[in-house]
Amino acid sequence: MAQSNENLLEVRNLTKLFPVNAGVFGEAVDAVRAVDDISFVIRTGETFGLVGESGCGKSTTGRCILRLIEPTSGEVRFQGTNLLSLNSSKLRVMRRDMQIIFQDPYSSLNPRMTIGEIVEEPLIVHRIDNRQTRRDRAIELLKLVGLEAEHANRYPHEFSGGQRQRIGIARALALNPKFIVCDEPVSALDVSVQAQVVNLLQDLQEKLGLTYLFISHGLSVVEHISTRVGIMYLGKLVEIANSREIFHNPLHPYTRALLSAIPIPDPDRHRERLPLSGDVPTAIAPPSGCRFRTRCPLAEPRCAEEQPQMVEVSPDHFVSCMVVAPADKK
């Protein structure tokens, strides 16, 4: 499916705080700022990659979008409808168009159910078709993801990691969704199997007209599959641009440091590393101003005083950095 300029999903000022409880009565004394006031759009037919270190809020963002975790504040608009304003019955109807592929292909599958029952389950939950039609649909989906009809009678423990992830993909496709959150779908797989699953996701996107939010910390995978990329650090988005622009012209110091760590499979080529000093601050009490300033080689005194805003420095290239953005914008 060709990418459209129409926005399928709009995330506006999304925030998720997890309370920190203490004392005899378990009162909330502070909060973990897992996702803090982020905004972005995902266009119809594209793959939006979301990248960052572990704990930066990538997976929480994906689950908040689907309301698997309830956001603290903000808006998530899917085809113009604010998902956060829907009651449970209306949300269930909307969820036919929005599905998720989980990171761990084994723990996300019920070990007591056959593969056919697992793939059929979304159809049962939404009361779609009769038993025989659902069974036929499950077998059709298994074949679509590269498995055989006979696999429908087996159990999850009888499959490899890559095959289990294919089962998870088949289940996500059962309701003919328009949008799928891919929550680190290949991070638990061997490198050779990762390539097969990524190629499968791309083939399915082309055949079925899917739109992906692809969450990962594997930069090489993100570069291969993504149309546009958002870089997250400590609950904040620091840069958004198309994939080529991010990987060939990164502007934010954090993005540059991430990309400098990608290994080059050529002993004669060398990439200049941009090592970061210090540890990642806690999300309970993040630094004032720019959250990256405590590790940033370009930090200035003003970076501690005010929070940088997303600035469009070139067409469709946004960066949140007071040091880089104004200079590049000129």
Side-chain angles (χ1 to χ4, degrees):
M1 177 180 179
Q3 180 192 337
S4 168
N5 288 325
E6 178 185 349
N7 294 335
L8 181 72
L9 185 85
E10 299 179 30
V11 177
R12 301 175 182 173
N13 308 112
L14 184 67
T15 298
K16 177 58 184 177
L17 308 180
F18 291 99
V20 176
N21 301 320
V24 177
F25 300 103
E27 297 178 348
V29 296
D30 212 327
V32 176
R33 293 159 178 79
V35 178
D36 196 354
D37 193 26
I38 68 170
S39 301
F40 61 94
V41 300
I42 301 179
R43 297 163 186 156
T44 301
E46 79 169 349
T47 298
F48 186 88
L50 198 56
V51 182
E53 295 173 277
S54 296
C56 71
K58 307 184 300 296
S59 293
T60 302
T61 298
R63 291 166 188 248
C64 284
I65 287 172
L66 299 180
R67 282 184 63 183
L68 298 179
I69 298 174
E70 287 294 334
T72 302
S73 62
E75 287 187 2
V76 178
R77 292 190 172 273
F78 182 78
Q79 293 184 316
T81 301
N82 184 9
L83 300 179
L84 307 191
S85 67
L86 301 180
N87 59 31
S88 57
S89 59
K90 291 181 179 178
L91 181 62
R92 172 175 287 198
V93 175
M94 290 293 291
R95 278 193 171 140
R96 295 185 183 187
D97 289 330
M98 305 179 298
Q99 293 294 310
I100 184 170
I101 301 168
F102 294 98
Q103 177 179 359
D104 188 342
Y106 189 63
S107 64
S108 64
L109 303 178
N110 189 332
R112 298 184 179 182
M113 296 173 68
T114 66
I115 300 310
E117 292 169 338
I118 288 172
V119 178
E120 284 181 55
E121 190 174 23
L123 300 171
I124 296 172
V125 169
H126 289 270
R127 300 175 182 176
I128 297 175
D129 296 328
N130 56 46
R131 184 174 182 179
Q132 184 57 50
T133 305
R134 289 194 297 263
R135 187 68 172 179
D136 293 342
R137 173 64 173 160
I139 292 174
E140 175 190 344
L141 289 167
L142 291 176
K143 291 180 178 179
L144 185 63
V145 298
L147 298 174
E148 302 295 334
E150 62 191 44
H151 291 153
N153 298 317
R154 300 183 186 177
Y155 290 85
H157 72 271
E158 300 180 67
F159 294 88
S160 67
Q163 288 174 318
R164 289 178 195 141
Q165 196 58 288
R166 289 173 185 267
I167 295 164
I169 294 171
R171 177 178 57 186
L173 295 174
L175 297 170
N176 292 315
K178 298 176 182 177
F179 173 67
I180 297 179
V181 174
C182 304
D183 186 9
E184 304 207 36
V186 298
S187 64
L189 307 177
D190 294 337
V191 174
S192 60
V193 180
Q194 286 184 13
Q196 295 172 18
V197 172
V198 168
N199 290 337
L200 172 63
L201 289 171
Q202 290 181 308
D203 290 342
L204 293 171
Q205 183 176 41
E206 186 68 26
K207 289 179 183 177
L208 305 177
L210 299 170
T211 302
Y212 295 141
L213 170 60
F214 192 90
I215 299 167
S216 178
H217 56 259
L219 293 168
S220 298
V221 175
V222 170
E223 181 179 16
H224 178 71
I225 195 173
S226 298
T227 311
R228 290 188 305 129
V229 179
I231 307 293
M232 282 193 76
Y233 180 80
L234 207 63
K236 287 280 192 182
L237 275 169
V238 298
E239 189 165 2
I240 301 173
N242 68 61
S243 181
R244 179 173 178 79
E245 188 76 4
I246 282 284
F247 285 92
H248 292 86
N249 183 33
L251 297 181
H252 197 281
Y254 178 62
T255 307
R256 293 173 179 171
L258 278 183
L259 298 183
S260 74
I262 300 177
I264 300 175
D266 185 345
D268 296 324
R269 290 180 59 197
H270 299 281
R271 175 182 282 141
E272 182 183 356
R273 287 295 306 273
L274 301 175
L276 300 178
S277 60
D279 298 323
V280 180
T282 174
I284 297 177
S288 62
C290 175
R291 295 194 174 180
F292 185 60
R293 67 176 176 80
T294 57
R295 306 175 70 196
C296 180
L298 304 179
E300 299 178 355
R302 60 177 172 153
C303 297
E305 298 170 2
E306 59 180 292
Q307 205 168 89
Q309 302 299 314
M310 273 286 184
V311 176
E312 187 173 13
V313 297
S314 62
D316 210 23
H317 191 159
F318 300 84
V319 65
S320 175
C321 178
M322 289 181 289
V323 178
V324 172
D328 280 273
K329 196 173 182 181
K330 294 175 186 177

